[in-house]
Amino acid sequence: MKRIQLLPFGEFDSVLLANLSADLARAFSIPSEILEAGPDPSRAYNPEREQYSSTQILGMMSGHAATESCRLLGVTSLDLYIPILTFVFGEAQMGGACAVVSTHRLTQEFYGLPPDPDLLRARLLKEAVHEMGHTFSLPHCEYYECVMAPSHAVERIDLKTHHFCPECRSRMLAAVSR
Amino acid sequence: MSKANLLIVDDELSVRDSLGKWFREEGYDAWGAESAHAALAQMAEHHFDLALVDIKMPGTDGIELLHRIREVDPEMMVIIMTGYASVETAVAALKDGAYDYVSKPFDPDDIAHTVHNALSHRRADQENLRLREAVAKASKPHDLVGQSAAMRQVFEAIETVAPTEATVLITGESGTGKELVARAIHAASPRRYNPLVVIHCGALAETLLESELFGHEKGAFTGAQYRKKGSFEIAEGGTTFLDEIGDVSLKTQTDLLRVLQEHEITRVGGSHPMHVDFRCIAATNKNVESLIEEGKFRPDLYYRLNVFQIHIPPLRERRNDIPLLAAHFVRQFAASMNKHIEGVSAAAMNLLMHYDWPGNIRELENAIERAMVVAQGPQLGEQDFVFRVNRAERAHRTLEDAERAHILSVLEECDGNQTMAAEILNIDRVTLHNKLKKYGWKKTEKTANVL
């Protein structure tokens, strides 16, 4: 993998986006760049659920994926879902090139708490690294501090770090070097 | 390595796809089936640990599929998925053996926990079963040894009666292995995973026996500081073995009869009867029919206990089992004493074969154990055994004694059939009849009465 590309969907905080780009570059030790805003996500909107289908957004991203040596990460503040679950923080193509993450349920405001920009930045990085990990074919990890630990609730995101455990790291590095 | 194999049964492709993908990210192997029919076809091809089944499907619905899964693979965990949670569907699913039900769409944390808990439950069940099997195997009464016709009948009787709920009366002299037979029946019965409680009735005073059998309430008598469960309560779901039942007083016999009839006990000092689930096996070395005639045993209790009788013949009536038993005990003690003794010398075996063993197998076991302690060589020799019958007495054994023993032994092998025995002995039936008359043998003296 040669670089990471970030593709924003809908309105997104530019500072948060810049920080994420820098954080990802450090986390994976490769360049990261921010692309122009992605296509209109309204096609992925489900009025019944008042949520956006993460799977459809991933579909929209396929055309934007440059080469196999890139990872394309969609970023959005929209509330994402897959049909069978009430929500998702993000979704990735397992072993593919694209992933998407949402800040909708990562903000403290969503849980009725005062804003915490640093916490949001940390949570977004963990979720971004996590979804990127899936694009390297990494499944969930049982080690609770590993970034690949399942994070079905925001408390569990706070519990883990943005680092890979040694086993997941070696698998990730092998995939990055390809 | 996959955490487990999951089968997702739903007629909606989007559900199968999104859930399957989500579970694969969780580290599971997930498969999809669009109908009950397809699910059963998948089950015929692959092994699954858990199925997530949609309750509403065209054709066979989720509840019906749950029934089919229970028949095909009872160990497979099933979680029912419902579109609209309702108490009725939930109760129906859980009643029919589903582990849990979940309402669509699922909260990611909830479904992850539900599946994880179901699989942990399954692993615990499997582990429990493995341990129970291991315990049952380890506690299998391996000391029941014998290949004589009489013992074969005993083994057959155990096999016949074990799976039933019938009360069993085991008769036989002291030391013949009545408790081992009771343990074998329990071990081969469906109650084997529950306790076998042994009560030696002859060893306890009447009041103590009542307390042992039925338990007592706190303060029921002096020294009853705590409430205590009786053996029938402790044996809940298992077997109670009442050894030496012939020694029980008439008062306790009356109480026992009530327990056997009603399956209810009242603790000593208590006032409320309670239901108990147990199977009863009793044993005695006494002739209970004689005790009845003497008025020492209640006939109604005898009929309750004697639903199925197994008589274990004394060792002197199945001498051909002695070499096998001796070899068994030598092996057992060699291992526990860490001694390298291979067996019994021919001369010593001759000695064992001609002794009458009034204490039966227990006496043989003790004799071998003692011999193993004192033995110096690789085999147990004549000098290692000490019997109550000394060599001088053995010297009085005449040719007539030997002939008598041989004839009776052959007759025993033929189950008392004189024509068959005469053929084997190569004498005519009248000669055999005359000899038996001389020995005082009666046809009713069957070596093994297995009713």
Side-chain angles (χ1 to χ4, degrees):
Chain A
M1 189 175 76
K2 287 178 183 156
R3 65 182 190 281
I4 300 164
Q5 294 178 320
L6 302 184
L7 182 66
F9 282 90
E11 282 182 23
F12 200 84
D13 182 333
S14 57
V15 178
L16 188 60
L17 187 60
N19 285 338
L20 176 64
S21 180
D23 291 344
L24 283 174
R26 260 195 303 279
F28 288 97
S29 305
I30 49 164
S32 170
E33 60 180 345
I34 299 169
L35 303 180
E36 293 290 313
D40 178 11
S42 57
R43 275 195 292 139
Y45 184 67
N46 182 330
E48 236 175 77
R49 294 184 58 147
E50 298 180 345
Q51 287 176 305
Y52 292 79
S53 161
S54 56
T55 311
Q56 285 188 37
I57 291 182
L58 276 180
M60 291 177 201
M61 288 170 64
S62 301
H64 287 74
T67 62
E68 280 187 8
S69 58
C70 278
R71 283 296 184 275
L72 184 63
L73 179 69
V75 280
T76 182
S77 58
L78 304 170
D79 193 14
L80 301 179
Y81 81 96
I82 61 171
I84 197 63
L85 297 181
T86 48
F87 74 93
V88 288
F89 291 118
E91 188 182 349
Q93 292 171 339
M94 196 79 167
C98 303
V100 60
V101 284
S102 162
T103 55
H104 189 84
R105 290 172 191 251
L106 299 181
T107 63
Q108 287 290 73
E109 299 92 300
F110 183 82
Y111 304 98
L113 296 168
D116 186 339
D118 290 341
L119 185 60
L120 175 61
R121 178 178 172 177
R123 286 174 178 171
L124 179 60
L125 174 64
K126 289 175 194 176
E127 272 312 282
V129 175
H130 180 95
E131 295 304 337
M132 297 269 288
H134 285 318
T135 66
F136 301 127
S137 301
L138 296 185
H140 284 166
C141 177
E142 286 184 4
Y143 181 50
Y144 74 99
E145 282 192 326
C146 175
V147 72
M148 293 313 293
S151 43
H152 308 312
V154 78
E155 296 87 346
R156 296 180 69 174
I157 299 176
D158 292 341
L159 200 63
K160 66 185 180 182
T161 67
H162 68 270
H163 299 294
F164 292 97
C165 70
E167 196 181 324
C168 291
R169 182 166 185 78
S170 65
R171 291 174 68 178
M172 184 274 292
L173 288 174
V176 169
S177 64
R178 272 181 220 134
Chain B
M1 200 179 77
S2 159
K3 287 203 279 192
N5 289 345
L6 311 185
L7 180 62
I8 300 157
V9 192
D10 199 304
D11 55 320
E12 279 183 57
L13 178 66
S14 64
V15 171
R16 294 199 304 275
D17 279 357
S18 60
L19 205 51
K21 180 173 175 286
W22 192 78
F23 276 120
R24 277 188 282 277
E25 285 177 2
E26 291 281 304
Y28 296 102
D29 269 345
W31 306 63
E34 72 276 15
S35 64
H37 180 74
L40 292 167
Q42 293 264 35
M43 284 176 64
E45 296 283 321
H46 307 282
H47 164 77
F48 294 101
D49 302 294
L50 183 145
L52 284 138
V53 176
D54 187 28
I55 201 160
K56 210 172 171 188
M57 289 186 291
T60 309
D61 69 8
I63 298 289
E64 181 56 33
L65 176 59
L66 171 65
H67 293 162
R68 300 288 298 276
I69 291 174
R70 293 262 76 83
E71 287 166 13
V72 176
D73 184 357
E75 287 182 13
M76 189 168 157
M77 304 304 279
V78 177
I79 295 171
I80 293 288
M81 303 188 284
T82 62
Y84 305 95
S86 73
V87 175
E88 289 77 17
T89 51
V91 169
L94 297 177
K95 230 180 199 175
D96 290 336
Y99 174 77
D100 208 344
Y101 79 100
V102 282
S103 311
K104 292 181 195 173
F106 318 133
D107 177 85
D109 217 24
D110 288 350
I111 185 69
H113 274 124
T114 306
V115 168
H116 179 265
N117 290 346
L119 291 168
S120 299
H121 193 103
R122 183 174 186 271
R123 272 191 285 274
D125 277 352
Q126 288 174 330
E127 183 69 13
N128 191 13
L129 190 67
R130 270 198 296 276
L131 288 171
R132 283 175 165 213
E133 294 286 354
V135 168
K137 203 174 166 187
S139 60
K140 205 173 172 187
H142 53 275
D143 283 352
L144 260 183
V145 175
Q147 59 183 16
S148 60
M151 280 312 284
R152 280 204 301 274
Q153 275 184 295
V154 170
F155 295 145
E156 277 169 27
I158 292 170
E159 216 168 282
T160 306
V161 79
T164 72
E165 285 290 297
T167 302
V168 183
L169 180 64
I170 306 165
T171 58
E173 291 179 9
S174 277
T176 45
K178 296 186 287 294
E179 186 173 330
L180 290 179
V181 169
R183 287 186 183 281
I185 293 169
H186 175 74
S189 77
R191 294 174 172 267
R192 62 185 173 279
Y193 296 135
N194 295 311
L196 168 75
V197 179
V198 180
I199 291 284
H200 297 283
C201 303
L204 297 166
E206 186 180 323
T207 48
L208 215 53
L209 179 62
E210 278 187 10
S211 161
E212 281 295 318
L213 290 173
F214 312 121
H216 62 71
E217 294 291 348
K218 184 181 176 183
F221 49 82
T222 314
Q225 290 176 318
Y226 306 101
R227 171 187 279 180
K228 181 179 179 273
K229 281 186 177 181
S231 39
F232 288 110
E233 261 185 277
I234 297 170
E236 180 66 25
T239 306
T240 301
F241 174 52
L242 303 173
D243 200 6
E244 304 308 351
I245 192 76
D247 295 340
V248 173
S249 72
L250 283 167
K251 155 87 174 63
T252 310
Q253 286 177 34
T254 310
D255 294 337
L256 272 177
L257 182 64
R258 188 174 154 229
V259 176
L260 292 175
Q261 278 173 338
E262 311 291 336
H263 271 247
E264 274 185 357
I265 57 151
T266 305
R267 290 190 190 127
V268 177
S271 50
H272 300 292
M274 54 179 135
H275 182 79
V276 277
D277 173 25
F278 67 92
R279 180 198 197 167
C280 184
I281 301 176
T284 183
N285 61 358
K286 296 196 169 153
N287 185 333
V288 183
E289 283 169 2
S290 303
L291 291 177
I292 293 171
E293 278 173 25
E294 291 165 25
K296 290 179 181 168
F297 205 91
R298 290 183 63 125
D300 41 8
L301 177 61
Y302 175 64
Y303 300 134
R304 272 280 162 190
L305 294 171
N306 194 28
V307 176
F308 191 95
Q309 190 181 117
I310 298 178
H311 177 74
I312 312 173
L315 189 53
R316 65 183 172 278
E317 287 179 14
R318 52 182 184 108
R319 290 180 191 275
N320 47 352
D321 281 339
I322 292 174
L324 205 65
L325 283 160
H328 168 74
F329 290 132
V330 167
R331 268 197 309 276
Q332 198 179 63
F333 290 121
S336 64
M337 294 178 187
N338 199 21
K339 287 186 94 168
H340 296 287
I341 292 175
E342 294 155 6
V344 181
S345 72
M349 186 56 78
N350 189 39
L351 199 67
L352 301 184
M353 291 293 280
H354 286 98
Y355 181 57
D356 272 349
W357 301 107
N360 291 294
I361 298 165
R362 191 179 295 129
E363 188 184 3
L364 174 65
E365 183 181 4
N366 292 343
I368 301 268
E369 185 178 10
R370 187 201 168 277
M372 294 284 290
V373 171
V374 299
Q376 299 294 324
Q379 283 192 321
L380 300 180
E382 268 186 303
Q383 69 284 357
D384 299 323
F385 290 95
V386 178
F387 297 116
R388 275 187 276 167
V389 180
N390 62 31
R391 279 158 197 267
E393 279 174 324
R394 192 158 60 87
H396 288 143
R397 192 177 280 275
T398 62
L399 183 62
E400 195 179 341
D401 288 338
E403 182 191 85
R404 179 181 186 275
H406 181 62
I407 289 174
L408 291 179
S409 160
V410 170
L411 197 59
E412 177 215 320
E413 282 179 20
C414 299
D415 289 337
N417 185 325
Q418 292 183 32
T419 310
M420 201 187 291
E423 268 178 37
I424 293 170
L425 292 165
N426 200 20
I427 55 175
D428 63 60
R429 201 177 169 282
V430 177
T431 308
L432 176 64
H433 179 76
N434 290 338
K435 282 183 185 288
L436 290 173
K437 197 173 169 187
K438 191 172 133 194
Y439 303 149
W441 184 85
K442 288 177 188 166
K443 193 167 178 127
T444 49
E445 282 182 13
K446 245 180 123 181
T447 47
N449 288 326
V450 182
L451 305 175

